[in-house]
Amino acid sequence: MEKNVSVPMRDGTLLKADVYRPEGTAKHPVLVMRTPYNKDDAQTMNYAHPTWYAAHGYVVVVQDTRGRWTSDGEFRPYSAEGEDGYDTVEWAASLPYAIPKVGMYGFSYVGATQWLAAAERPPHLACIAPGMIGSDSFQGRAYRNGAFSLASSLSWALFASQDSAIRRKRLDWLAEINASYAGIHGLYKHLPLSRTPGVKSELFPFYKEWLDHPTRDEFWQGQSLKDAYDRIEVPALHLAGWYDLFLDGTIENFLGVRARGATKLARENQYLLVEPWFHMPWSRYVGELDFGPEAANRIDELQLRWFDRWLKDDEDAWREEPPIRYFVMGDNNWEQVGQWPPLKAVDTPFYLRSESRANSINGDGRLSAEPPGEEHPDVYVYHPSIPVPALGGRSGAVPDLTPMGPRNQLPIEVRNDVLVYTSDVLTEDVKVVGDLRVVLYAATSAEDTDFVAKLVDVHPGGAAYNVAEGIFRASYRESLERREPVPPGEVIRYELSLGSTAIVFKRGHSIRIDVTSSLFPTYDRSPNVIANPGDVTEADFATATQTIYHDSRYPSHVVLPVVPAT
């Protein structure tokens, strides 16, 4: 092992790397991880230590990215990762003890460093293994359908600021950041967001920049991985999680390069693995559920076979692998298909119904395969000072800081500002595999507001575990590029993507849809007026009366991709 090896970039900046390699004089192919999270750690919360890969015949280079930890330069998220990644790959290929074939691995931001390097086409990059990374800088990362990704963005800003304060020798700032980080659950309600304690613009100006650009304007252009699909020339092994915030983006990356990759080699060698995991740590135990031994973390063994195929030319290591393998929750086993979504799944509508009112689990909301006739709409009131908490779900990065994974939803389903629609108890298994969406016909008294829909698996005995969720800020209904006020009282059709899933709702369970207007702190609270999210204070809060229609003219429903029983 060699510590703090200097790697020169084209502009003269020196980035530092640790190099692990097998003993002896033989040459070996190279694995590269480029991380802003400290090369000494090497993402070992989820992956084996680099020495494990070295023991299996690889030179492993783990590098601090520009402006982070031991590396020189200024940190600006994503901006230099393409060129720096190219230079690092080519430097690694030239090492005297290296076979000049390089692979890259890592997840989250470290997945982005792989994509951005691959888009620059370094000649000696042979393959990548990016995990859990989005496809777009705006949609799905900083925002989702206009709602700001508060929990993941704020927790990341505070975490990233710690190293920046140390580098500047500002221990007073570090103490303030650490205090804010420790009390982050109370901090989420602090307004305005642009002046959150502990977020220092001198250390991390990007948080306020994200807040200052709440539409997909020119600020976000050039930052999205999906803009580079046609420049990708190498095979990729994509890792996604059913409870990960970047689930949709990871699947889009897989499909995008498969369709538009720069080479036949790239287009024909994209592979997707979807585990039942959240962002981290990776385990059979996710949130409040145990998905069984088949969900255990075996990513290192899989990656070893992947790298043996492309870096050691061992075709048997990856022979006859399916393009897509996904974990089926409920049955807790694996299936494989050739395309996503699977052809065998049939989009099936289930309609929101009620006789009187669907407010809370005390109401009479039903989920039915039968379309509604003439029914009264359901009404609830949303005020941002008392938001509905997000229990679990798809956020990042760790479960003690942000809402993640499956959790029992009963504590929020007792609220009258949550509409609850539950199917009859199932007499047979219902298998759902593919993309989920909810169509709501809704009116609001406000000029802007949020609508949230959640798919829930109700177990015998009443425990209700979230499967997937979606949010939509009404002023973005026409475009992510501009906002338009909602005409008060007008019935508008909203389509909420809930992302993808694979689950068997077991016999004796029920299927449930919850509808409400906040998913806090996963996303910021809509003040019910059009305002810059960074500037909103409690003085801007307005009350919104929400009406959800479900009748023959306005049949609100969820579309589930049901796999017919064989």
Side-chain angles (χ1 to χ4, degrees):
M1 175 184 173
E2 297 176 80
K3 290 282 293 182
N4 296 320
V5 179
S6 292
V7 185
M9 299 295 102
R10 64 190 66 182
D11 64 354
T13 301
L14 295 179
L15 307 187
K16 297 299 179 66
D18 295 340
V19 181
Y20 306 80
R21 56 190 176 98
E23 293 181 342
T25 58
K27 294 186 176 184
H28 302 275
V30 187
L31 302 180
V32 169
M33 173 185 286
R34 304 190 62 254
T35 175
Y37 303 127
N38 191 347
K39 60 181 173 56
D40 291 338
D41 173 76
Q43 295 201 310
T44 51
M45 180 178 286
N46 289 332
Y47 297 105
H49 192 270
T51 53
W52 185 88
Y53 286 96
H56 285 84
Y58 288 93
V59 175
V60 185
V61 175
V62 185
Q63 180 189 70
D64 288 329
T65 55
R66 180 180 292 253
R68 300 295 293 167
W69 302 91
T70 59
S71 288
D72 297 341
E74 179 186 357
F75 177 58
R76 287 199 61 84
Y78 308 101
S79 64
E81 306 301 1
E83 292 183 351
D84 287 354
Y86 180 108
D87 294 349
T88 301
V89 165
E90 293 306 296
W91 173 87
S94 70
L95 291 170
Y97 39 78
I99 294 173
K101 298 184 75 169
V102 179
M104 301 181 77
Y105 74 103
F107 80 106
S108 196
Y109 189 101
V110 186
T113 66
Q114 297 172 61
W115 280 117
L116 294 168
E120 297 295 318
R121 304 176 179 179
H124 294 100
L125 182 63
C127 66
I128 57 177
M132 297 183 176
I133 186 60
S135 58
D136 188 74
S137 54
F138 178 79
Q139 175 73 340
R141 193 188 81 192
Y143 290 82
R144 187 175 189 87
N145 298 322
F148 179 63
S149 300
L150 175 60
S152 59
S153 297
L154 178 55
S155 61
W156 194 66
L158 290 171
F159 177 78
S161 296
Q162 291 172 322
D163 173 58
S164 299
I166 293 170
R167 291 168 67 91
R168 291 195 180 201
K169 296 181 171 53
R170 289 299 304 264
L171 299 186
D172 54 334
W173 285 355
L174 180 63
E176 183 180 347
I177 293 166
N178 289 342
S180 296
Y181 202 51
I184 196 168
H185 293 287
L187 201 62
Y188 286 134
K189 276 198 171 184
H190 183 276
L191 294 175
L193 294 178
S194 61
R195 293 200 291 274
T196 300
V199 181
K200 300 289 186 183
S201 59
E202 299 92 339
L203 302 177
F204 202 90
F206 324 109
Y207 184 71
K208 187 174 186 305
E209 290 176 0
W210 300 338
L211 288 165
D212 286 343
H213 294 274
T215 60
R216 201 175 189 278
D217 58 17
E218 66 281 353
F219 171 82
W220 302 101
Q221 303 305 315
Q223 298 186 41
S224 297
L225 302 185
K226 64 182 181 181
D227 296 334
Y229 292 157
D230 57 1
R231 302 204 302 273
I232 304 300
E233 298 180 337
V234 297
L237 173 62
H238 307 251
L239 173 66
W242 290 135
Y243 286 96
D244 180 54
L245 74 164
F246 295 127
L247 169 66
D248 298 347
T250 303
I251 294 175
E252 186 175 10
N253 289 336
F254 162 77
L255 295 173
V257 180
R258 203 181 190 197
R260 294 168 39 205
T263 63
K264 182 180 180 182
L265 177 71
R267 292 190 298 273
E268 293 182 354
N269 289 284
Q270 299 298 306
Y271 293 85
L272 174 66
L273 179 76
V274 191
E275 298 271 7
W277 300 338
F278 47 33
H279 204 60
M280 63 180 183
W282 300 341
S283 165
R284 61 184 279 180
Y285 305 102
V286 185
E288 296 177 2
L289 296 181
D290 174 9
F291 288 109
E294 289 294 311
N297 181 3
R298 300 185 181 92
I299 194 64
D300 297 297
E301 290 81 359
L302 181 72
Q303 285 193 157
L304 188 65
R305 292 197 295 111
W306 172 253
F307 291 129
D308 284 353
R309 166 64 186 91
W310 298 108
L311 303 182
K312 295 183 178 179
D313 298 320
D314 182 359
E315 295 188 4
D316 290 334
W318 201 259
R319 189 176 298 279
E320 298 181 357
E321 283 290 328
I324 304 167
R325 294 183 67 234
Y326 57 88
F327 189 89
V328 182
M329 299 179 290
D331 276 353
N332 292 350
N333 58 19
W334 288 92
E335 292 189 353
Q336 58 191 51
V337 290
Q339 69 176 59
W340 190 266
L343 285 173
K344 56 188 176 182
V346 179
D347 282 350
T348 306
F350 291 83
Y351 296 92
L352 279 53
R353 309 283 302 276
S354 72
E355 300 299 327
S356 170
R357 63 187 190 92
N359 304 77
S360 86
I361 56 172
N362 300 310
D364 60 5
R366 295 184 295 118
L367 193 65
S368 172
E370 296 296 323
E374 297 308 309
E375 295 182 1
H376 290 289
D378 292 310
V379 180
Y380 65 96
V381 174
Y382 159 62
H383 196 282
S385 62
I386 47 173
V388 175
L391 296 182
R394 294 171 177 165
S395 186
V398 288
D400 58 332
L401 299 178
T402 57
M404 294 166 57
R407 287 189 59 190
N408 190 352
Q409 301 299 300
L410 288 179
I412 63 171
E413 290 174 339
V414 298
R415 295 174 52 140
N416 273 347
D417 54 355
V418 178
L419 305 182
V420 178
Y421 303 91
T422 308
S423 75
D424 293 337
V425 174
L426 301 175
T427 58
E428 59 184 22
D429 291 355
V430 175
K431 186 175 184 178
V432 173
V433 181
D435 301 332
L436 312 167
R437 68 183 189 275
V438 169
V439 175
L440 290 181
Y441 291 92
T444 180
S445 62
E447 70 172 16
D448 194 15
T449 195
D450 285 346
F451 291 105
V452 171
K454 186 180 299 181
L455 177 64
V456 178
D457 180 14
V458 184
H459 290 217
Y465 293 98
N466 51 300
V467 177
E469 70 275 339
I471 189 168
F472 202 103
R473 189 150 293 176
S475 60
Y476 292 82
R477 66 196 180 279
E478 298 296 335
S479 172
L480 295 178
E481 283 76 35
R482 66 182 188 279
R483 306 177 69 178
E484 296 182 9
V486 180
E490 181 176 316
V491 182
I492 295 173
R493 182 185 187 275
Y494 299 95
E495 186 165 315
L496 284 70
S497 169
L498 274 58
S500 301
T501 197
I503 185 171
V504 174
F505 292 92
K506 305 297 286 185
R507 183 167 59 110
H509 291 220
S510 297
I511 303 172
R512 177 175 290 169
I513 294 292
D514 291 344
V515 175
T516 187
S517 287
S518 52
L519 197 61
F520 180 81
T522 301
Y523 300 99
D524 70 321
R525 296 166 285 174
S526 170
N528 295 325
V529 296
I530 294 179
N532 187 317
D535 299 332
V536 170
T537 70
E538 288 85 351
D540 298 305
F541 287 175
T543 301
T545 300
Q546 320 287 49
T547 305
I548 305 299
Y549 292 82
H550 46 83
D551 54 39
S552 56
R553 182 180 181 187
Y554 301 121
S556 295
H557 61 278
V558 59
V559 179
L560 300 180
V562 176
V563 178
T566 55

